[in-house]
Amino acid sequence: MSILRRRTPLQVDLPLPAGAKRVRVLAESGNLVVEIRSEEDEVLERHEATFSKEEGRWRTILPAVAFWLALAIYLAVRLTGLAQFPVYFFSDEAIQTMLASDLIRDGFHGYTGEFLPTYFPNGGQYNLSVSVYLQVIPTLLFPRSVEVTRATAAVVTLLAALAVGLTMQKVFASRIPWLAVLILSLTPAWFLHSRTAFETALATTFFAAFLACYLWYLQDHPALLPWAVTFAALTFYAYAPMRLTIAVMSVLLVVLDWRWHWRTPRVTLISAAVAAVWLIPFIRFLMLHPAGLNQHLEILGSYWVADLPLLDKLRRAGEIYLNLLSPAYWWGEPRFDIIRHVMKDYGHFPRLLAPFTVMGFVWGVFQMFRGDTRARTVFLAWLVSPLGAVLVGEGITRVLCMVIPLTLFTALGLEQILDAINRRMDHIPVPIRGNGLLVLIYLALAAGNVSMLNDALTHGAFWARDYGLNGVQYGARQVFAEIQTRLKREPDLKVVLTPTWANGTDVLARFFLPQDPPPLEINSYLAYTETYRPFIPEKTVFVMTAQEYLELPRRYFSEVQVEQELPYPDGSPGFYFVRLRYAPNFQELLAQEQAERRKPVEESLEVDGMLLRVSHTRLDMGELRHIFDRNPSTLIRTAGINPLTLKIAFAVPQRIEQVSLRIGGTPSRVRLSLWHTQEESPRVVEQDFPEDPLPRMVTLPLENPLSVSMLQVELWNASDSADGHVHLWELEWGTLP
């Protein structure tokens, strides 16, 4: 029998007897079985359609082959050319492997001493969890590489493809479950992020598995409820923005399906116990790091922790939510996303499939109002997906989980069209009837996957021409490969690498260089112009961006020699390896300029309706208003001057009982000088603060409240020299709460 032979759909018309509430369709031993059941789940009637042995075998084998081949295509498209696309390798990917490496090194204890920590710090915030543990085994088995780190995450995302496929097959009784697999694989937002080690794809994968298990549980498979709870917990821990999404989704399903849960109380109680066990690590985290969650929002600049009226916060939340539900966001040109999270000219979801997505959505809504719990659950998944972004702002990484319900809607819509075509088979040309049409669709979707992969590998490096810090942050593999080559050739070479081209260059250095700590200095060449730092020109190479090379103050150097240029993918200058030699009069020039730079700057500004006159150390980052805006994501930094000094004159004397500062994690010293309105000499309060892994708020209380006309704040980085950069995020004063 030809496997492409036309197959007429089997149609069964059965009158439903009195008391019938449910119809189950089963495949048993190659036969189709229809069971009509009562409300008590008793079988009232059973009808069986028998196929020939050969026909039954093909009906079983061919869909399975197509399904597993779709999964193979999915995996191949994920793993091919992993280091080439995305063109960058980001520090948020490298940190996963480095944290896993440190965890192994420290006997599975975190940096603060807890065994098997719930969350790991990244960029001053506790936001990594499952993704770190996922990298432990690959770290033990393989050398560090971009391919291993990304492949580990990419292979796990195969679970998402399997989940959407099985959902279509087991829950929606689809004859072509491979459709959802290939659609998911073809989704641009998913294609991009499932080829990285970002934790957002991992969380979406667990979300897909959770949805599949729960939907299958609703199809009278109670044993899957504990698995649904487990995948919900993994979703919760995998990615911080997904906490709110999965929590709201879980509460809704508990409430809406309470009758169904009550049918199997034993399974429901077991699932509740599983949920309680999964909650323990989070409770421990809150006990050990009580400010962790709020600090995370502060670092991200969330408007929820800003000093705004509640109505404004709610208005902004609604705006974000509607923006991310909008079809224009998914099929139009991305308006809110960082360039490295976008595939140019693709949109976030396949544009050619948009009509089928809309059709599946409409069908799902119609079925939901008819009482279909399957459609309602998928609709809820779509509805709650933007909640993770609502706390901070729009971004595809925070709403990536929406690709799962959109994929299911698209597959359902396309299958509705195919069913309609099959019902009118006589009007369809012979070459595309029946299985022939399915083969054409299969080949088209597979070709689309291959075409997208080829386009990404061939042209992806040119989609965005901003390769620097505010763009795609290109160069990690290339720069560190060249540094490693030079260190092998010259073991005593001193490398000074600029950090201005990427986030977390220290993490990238640890990832790419085998020595730990890495044998290089991460510093801008500017540090060598702000103070005299003796170095041997023949044994020192400075790695800087092309822009920094153009801005190099040549008056400080008698020799500037470019040894090598590393271009960007478009051929423009990217990085320079430069040899420098101080000018003979460098120290004289430096002394003159430092004297000028250390002169305080005078400013006046209004804070909470009060005029302040401030004399402060010269800054090279941020504006003075940033330390008074109650926004922990803004800051000031001194221009290579330690300490930072702020002398504030109040137009109206202030009653002060305490002064609070948000400072960095380095060991610090704070000295307060407060001039009482009736005293000539100041009251002085001084305190040292030890190192902390994260920026923190520190408070210096006064023994007695004072009416202060002038306040001077001096902040030292205790471990830095006099030319160190001092950071300050916030400065507040007032009475005790």
Side-chain angles (χ1 to χ4, degrees), residues 10 54 105 120 124 168 172 262 281 292 304 548 612 711 726:
L10 180 65
E54 181 183 5
R105 179 199 64 197
F120 299 84
M168 290 297 297
F172 291 98
W262 186 248
W304 277 107
E548 288 176 322
L612 302 179
L711 167 66
V726 182

Side-chain angles (χ1 to χ4, degrees), residues 616-680:
H616 63 84
T617 305
R618 193 174 298 273
L619 308 175
D620 67 0
M621 182 183 293
E623 300 176 21
L624 186 62
R625 61 182 175 85
H626 288 155
I627 62 173
F628 301 111
D629 61 4
R630 296 185 178 88
N631 182 351
S633 64
T634 60
L635 75 160
I636 61 173
R637 188 182 77 168
T638 63
I641 304 170
N642 185 17
L644 164 65
T645 302
L646 297 157
K647 195 169 187 178
I648 304 168
F650 301 107
V652 177
Q654 299 293 297
R655 181 178 173 81
I656 297 179
E657 294 182 79
Q658 63 177 21
V659 176
S660 299
L661 304 88
R662 183 172 181 81
I663 63 176
T666 60
S668 302
R669 174 179 299 167
V670 179
R671 178 188 295 159
L672 304 179
S673 300
L674 305 98
W675 279 265
H676 190 276
T677 51
Q678 298 177 352
E679 296 179 357
E680 294 185 2

Side-chain angles (χ1 to χ4, degrees), residues 148-166:
V148 170
T149 295
R150 285 184 169 175
T152 300
V155 169
V156 173
T157 69
L158 184 64
L159 178 61
L162 183 65
V164 294
L166 290 179

Side-chain angles (χ1 to χ4, degrees), residues 412-464:
L412 289 167
L414 185 51
E415 190 156 2
Q416 294 296 312
I417 294 293
L418 293 174
D419 288 343
I421 291 174
N422 281 333
R423 288 194 294 269
R424 293 165 177 79
M425 191 64 69
D426 293 339
H427 303 289
I428 303 299
V430 172
I432 60 172
R433 291 181 184 177
N435 282 350
L437 179 58
L438 295 182
V439 170
L440 288 177
I441 293 174
Y442 198 107
L443 293 177
L445 291 174
N449 272 271
V450 175
S451 175
M452 179 181 288
L453 173 64
N454 179 67
D455 190 25
L457 295 180
T458 305
H459 304 112
F462 311 108
W463 285 343

